[in-house]
Amino acid sequence: MRGLCIFLILISIVGCGSSSVTPQPKGPDILTNFTGCAVGAFVNGMGNISDFQTMIGKNLAVILWYVHWQDPFPTADADTVYNNGSVPLITWEPWITHELGTLEAIAAGSYESYVTQFIQDAKDWGGPVLLRFAHEMNGNWYPWDGYHNGATLEAATKYKNAWIYIYNVKQQLNADNVYLVWTPNNTNLPAESWNEIANYYPGDQYVDWVGMDGYNWGYGNWQEFDAVFSSIYQALIQLTNKPIMVGEFASAEQGGSKSSWIIDAMAKLQSSYQNVKIFCWFNINKERDWRANSSSTSEAAFRQGLQDDYFLDTIRE
């Protein structure tokens, strides 16, 4: 709690001496050299955290959610996550329209007051924050992706300029508790040379973590975990030695065995993807029923797969 006077019996003696609000330190810092893989999820609302953890039989080390551009830093939600023993993973989405273009406007400082306030508030909150700015930039479904910003190599440069602007604000504010996570999609859409993920990478000096998002869409396009992630994982470890997370992943039910897919995914994360330090399951019935409990067999497989100590329920000491 912040700035609260402790009304105990002593209040009659010492009173409440100050009305100033002083945030309590959240610490300690997030680690990047831990052994194993931290368990995370998007649970579609802070009120669902407890039920999801009960279902999987494990605490969530990381909790993912989404914040639209020009919304303030979500202090109350971050408190909820922190009080659960977890680290916030905030996907910061610039759903904006500007005459300069989405990416050019950000890079030019057109939203400077908002960006500065958001990151300052994240710093003042005090705990570790994983901030996933403008994810899946190599897709074709967001106003910040390369496809919607010219569909040329110049579009990737525009993205890098916007990213570097955000990172520089973080550095200028000394917001050392904020970790920017650069997260491409597992496939390039469109699959053209200008849209390769390396073209969007701003450089190690501007990135704290890297991520990768991918799904087994099922139906007529069933893909095992390796088919979803092997290519992009290899590309990332050749691109950088930054810690890696799976920012979003899940499997459909139709088209194969989701329970077998989950067991295989957990095994592969241990054996073949050891640079992945965090994963976040996308637990919602949306384009597909991505939920871990979309069936009783999938729920049992998810719970079983996480029981190995390799999967961590905290990355905070």
Side-chain angles (χ1 to χ4, degrees):
M1 295 182 181
R2 299 190 179 98
L4 296 181
C5 298
I6 305 174
F7 289 90
L8 301 174
I9 296 175
L10 292 177
I11 191 172
S12 62
I13 301 173
V14 300
C16 183
S18 173
S19 61
S20 63
V21 177
T22 304
Q24 293 184 359
K26 291 293 191 300
D29 211 355
I30 190 172
L31 303 177
T32 57
N33 60 349
F34 51 86
T35 300
C37 182
V39 178
F42 167 71
V43 297
N44 195 28
M46 296 298 162
N48 295 324
I49 295 172
S50 180
D51 286 347
F52 185 83
Q53 291 178 153
T54 299
M55 178 185 71
I56 68 172
K58 207 147 197 171
N59 191 75
L60 289 170
V62 175
I63 294 174
L64 164 69
W65 76 103
Y66 300 80
V67 173
H68 280 200
W69 196 260
Q70 295 186 305
D71 285 348
F73 179 78
T75 300
D77 286 343
D79 278 342
T80 297
V81 169
Y82 193 88
N83 291 336
N84 188 65
S86 312
V87 171
L89 172 56
I90 298 170
T91 302
W92 197 20
E93 300 183 302
W95 289 99
I96 54 176
T97 301
H98 195 282
E99 60 183 6
L100 294 178
T102 299
L103 297 174
E104 296 99 315
I106 295 171
S110 299
Y111 297 92
E112 181 174 3
S113 60
Y114 168 67
V115 171
T116 300
Q117 189 65 59
F118 189 97
I119 296 178
Q120 182 67 52
D121 289 348
K123 175 186 176 180
D124 292 344
W125 178 73
V129 178
L130 291 158
L131 186 59
R132 219 168 54 122
F133 169 69
H135 65 308
E136 299 175 8
M137 74 299 292
N138 58 326
N140 60 3
W141 45 85
Y142 288 132
W144 56 84
D145 64 40
Y147 179 80
H148 287 98
N149 285 273
T152 65
L153 192 58
E154 183 182 1
T157 299
K158 292 176 184 178
Y159 181 88
K160 288 190 290 187
N161 290 341
W163 178 279
I164 290 169
Y165 173 81
I166 297 294
Y167 197 90
N168 283 340
V169 172
K170 178 183 95 81
Q171 294 297 89
Q172 290 160 11
L173 294 173
N174 296 313
D176 296 333
N177 62 312
V178 178
Y179 298 82
L180 278 182
V181 186
W182 179 84
T183 312
N185 191 56
N186 69 314
T187 56
N188 304 320
L189 296 171
E192 298 180 12
S193 59
W194 64 265
N195 203 31
E196 294 290 333
I197 65 170
N199 295 330
Y200 293 94
Y201 191 64
D204 282 354
Q205 68 270 38
Y206 299 109
V207 173
D208 301 311
W209 282 67
V210 298
M212 52 186 187
D213 291 355
Y215 293 85
N216 170 31
W217 290 85
Y219 294 91
N221 188 31
W222 187 269
Q223 293 180 298
E224 296 300 332
F225 186 82
D226 272 343
V228 177
F229 285 114
S230 179
S231 292
I232 189 172
Y233 178 73
Q234 292 302 319
L236 289 177
I237 63 177
Q238 291 173 28
L239 185 63
T240 180
N241 62 0
K242 296 289 182 178
I244 299 173
M245 70 170 65
V246 179
E248 299 174 20
F249 84 125
S251 173
E253 280 279 359
Q254 292 77 16
S257 170
K258 182 172 179 176
S259 58
S260 296
W261 194 95
I262 290 170
I263 292 295
D264 176 65
M266 301 303 177
K268 289 289 173 54
L269 283 167
Q270 294 186 65
S271 64
S272 305
Y273 295 80
Q274 294 181 340
N275 286 16
V276 172
K277 310 305 292 180
I278 295 171
F279 78 71
C280 283
W281 185 266
F282 192 68
N283 201 68
I284 187 173
N285 187 355
K286 197 181 173 192
E287 305 93 344
R288 304 284 191 270
D289 192 345
W290 304 120
R291 296 173 301 169
N293 62 338
S294 55
S295 65
S296 59
T297 54
S298 295
E299 178 180 344
F302 201 92
R303 187 182 184 95
Q304 175 188 339
L306 291 182
Q307 296 318 300
D308 193 288
D309 290 342
Y310 186 81
F311 296 107
L312 309 175
D313 59 7
T314 185
I315 48 176
R316 287 168 34 199
E317 294 179 344

